[in-house]
Amino acid sequence: MKKSKAFYISLSTGLVLLILAIILGTIYDLEISKLFADLPRGSFYSNNIFAIIGEMIGENILYILLEVSFAILFYYFIRYPIKQKWLNVILIIMFALLGCAVSFYCINKTLEYLSVYTNFGLDVYLENTMGKLSVLAFSIVVNVIVFMLFSRVSKESIRELFGFAITVIIVSIISNVIVQGAKLIFDRTRYRAMMYEGYDDFEYYTNWYQINTNKFASNSEFYSDYFKSFPSGHTCAAASSFLLILLPSFYKKTNTLGWKITFTTFAILYTFLVGLSRIVAGAHYFTDVLFGGFITISCVLIAKWCIIDKLIAKQKLKEEQLALAELEKEKSKKKSKSKQKD
């Protein structure tokens, strides 16, 4: 599929802006955190409401998209079963269970973050058996409601949404594997880890491109989270909202200018606000959120340009060939009729 001149101009502009942002972050990363982080010395979690909201629900768009994708695939194999019945049954059960698992993880994670900022004893409740069972029960209810909502979606719409669901799952897996792998490799010390331990001279600060070999020891309960700054997992998850810009390529009802503007605007604002909230929380530096978002957005764009656009172009070519074949048939029929009259 040929790209227009405007496409290459937009791509070049985006790359230039990205390079400038990386240079800016490389030079001023620590200064940006000092300016925006609302985190007193000796504190690991910020009391800033914007930071709290970002921490609690910043990742949830990813889980919502996955939950929806599993519901789509669940009904796809019910309405378009494959020949091997036993495999079809396994797939249906698997997607139902995956939906429950994602729902449980999302709700439990949100409640865990909530327990950090409240004094209701929620952390103790979530650790005991009754707490886990109650969260599981609520997760199943939520999952059933979501799946029931998709039971009303037409068979044709489910077929159209199949490709979107598969894309969501693949992009989510690849982007998160890259981010979590990078965290393990770079071991970058969080800004708030140094503030909590009292290292406000930031002697343990490292730049984003450095593998951290200057880690400090601590008996803190938060220690396992100290060296996971680069890149930002929250921003990576938030940037999965850019998957919505692919929806019009699959689902005809959203293939309008209005929906495209809505999806793009939402994705940009949501990712930006979550990324900013992570800097305010002292959880990440500017380059952490920059690369966290960039990894997911890159996966989305690669999926669009290298896979989806080619599939759409191939489908259009197939439709054109079929239409041409039908036209040729009509012409041959007319010719045969005219010969019979003669």
Side-chain angles (χ1 to χ4, degrees):
M1 191 175 185
K2 290 184 178 180
K3 305 296 183 184
S4 65
K5 186 178 179 180
F7 167 82
Y8 288 108
I9 291 172
S10 300
L11 181 61
S12 300
T13 304
L15 288 173
V16 169
L17 291 174
L18 175 65
I19 292 167
L20 289 174
I22 292 171
I23 294 170
L24 177 70
T26 303
I27 299 170
Y28 297 110
D29 234 359
L30 185 57
E31 283 67 27
I32 291 170
S33 285
K34 287 178 181 179
L35 181 65
F36 286 99
D38 186 3
L39 192 71
R41 189 175 186 269
S43 298
F44 190 73
Y45 290 107
S46 173
N47 290 320
N48 184 290
I49 189 65
F50 176 60
I52 293 171
I53 292 171
E55 185 132 40
M56 285 179 57
I57 65 171
E59 296 176 301
N60 288 5
I61 185 67
L62 170 63
Y63 308 131
I64 292 168
L65 285 169
L66 286 171
E67 176 85 8
V68 166
S69 297
F70 292 137
I72 291 166
L73 294 174
F74 175 83
Y75 284 107
Y76 180 86
F77 286 102
I78 287 176
R79 295 172 184 180
Y80 297 95
I82 57 177
K83 290 181 180 179
Q84 295 87 352
K85 289 184 179 180
W86 63 271
L87 181 58
N88 200 72
V89 171
I90 289 173
L91 288 170
I92 290 168
I93 294 171
M94 181 183 76
F95 289 122
L97 292 175
L98 285 171
C100 287
V102 168
S103 179
F104 175 80
Y105 186 81
C106 178
I107 293 167
N108 191 67
K109 195 77 173 175
T110 303
L111 291 174
E112 283 180 354
Y113 282 128
L114 180 62
S115 70
V116 171
Y117 300 103
T118 58
N119 297 315
F120 301 142
L122 192 58
D123 53 340
V124 177
Y125 181 71
L126 291 173
E127 287 174 2
N128 63 47
T129 305
M130 183 58 70
K132 289 176 181 177
L133 288 174
S134 61
V135 173
L136 178 61
F138 183 62
S139 303
I140 293 170
V141 171
V142 170
N143 190 63
V144 168
I145 291 170
V146 172
F147 275 50
M148 284 178 67
L149 288 173
F150 273 86
S151 67
R152 301 186 178 190
V153 178
S154 68
K155 185 178 178 180
E156 178 60 27
S157 294
I158 289 293
R159 187 184 66 79
E160 289 180 8
L161 289 166
F162 175 81
F164 177 71
I166 294 295
T167 306
V168 167
I169 294 166
I170 293 172
V171 168
S172 299
I173 291 171
I174 292 173
S175 59
N176 279 278
V177 166
I178 292 170
V179 166
Q180 296 306 319
K183 284 179 180 288
L184 293 173
I185 293 168
F186 288 93
D187 283 336
R188 193 181 194 187
T189 309
R190 293 187 190 271
Y191 179 90
R192 66 183 180 189
M194 287 183 280
M195 290 295 288
Y196 182 67
E197 293 287 348
Y199 298 119
D200 50 5
D201 55 356
F202 303 104
E203 61 184 287
Y204 292 100
Y205 170 80
T206 56
N207 224 314
W208 65 269
Y209 54 81
Q210 296 174 308
I211 294 175
N212 187 13
T213 56
N214 188 31
K215 294 192 286 187
F216 54 87
S218 173
N219 294 320
S220 169
E221 60 182 306
F222 307 119
Y223 187 74
S224 61
D225 192 51
Y226 276 7
F227 309 106
K228 295 181 179 180
S229 190
F230 180 82
S232 168
H234 268 71
T235 315
C236 169
S240 64
S241 57
F242 278 86
L243 283 160
L244 292 171
I245 68 174
L246 303 182
L247 189 56
S249 299
F250 297 98
Y251 193 45
K252 293 175 183 177
K253 289 183 179 180
T254 61
N255 193 16
T256 64
L257 182 62
W259 277 113
K260 288 176 181 178
I261 292 171
T262 300
F263 291 147
T264 304
T265 303
F266 171 76
I268 292 170
L269 286 176
Y270 187 83
T271 306
F272 171 77
L273 290 173
V274 171
L276 180 60
S277 75
R278 302 307 285 153
I279 298 173
V280 174
H284 293 286
Y285 305 98
F286 173 74
T287 50
D288 296 340
V289 302
L290 180 66
F291 278 95
F294 172 71
I295 289 166
T296 303
I297 294 169
S298 296
C299 290
V300 171
L301 294 177
I302 289 168
K304 177 172 173 54
W305 297 336
C306 299
I307 302 171
I308 297 166
D309 285 353
K310 287 183 179 179
L311 289 174
I312 291 170
K314 190 181 286 187
Q315 181 63 30
K316 282 183 179 179
L317 181 62
K318 189 177 179 181
E319 289 173 358
E320 287 172 2
Q321 288 172 342
L322 287 171
L324 189 62
E326 286 294 321
L327 190 63
E328 289 297 325
K329 281 183 183 179
E330 288 295 321
K331 283 181 180 179
S332 62
K333 282 181 182 179
K334 285 180 181 179
K335 281 181 180 179
S336 62
K337 283 179 180 180
S338 61
K339 283 181 180 179
Q340 287 174 2
K341 285 180 180 179
D342 293 340

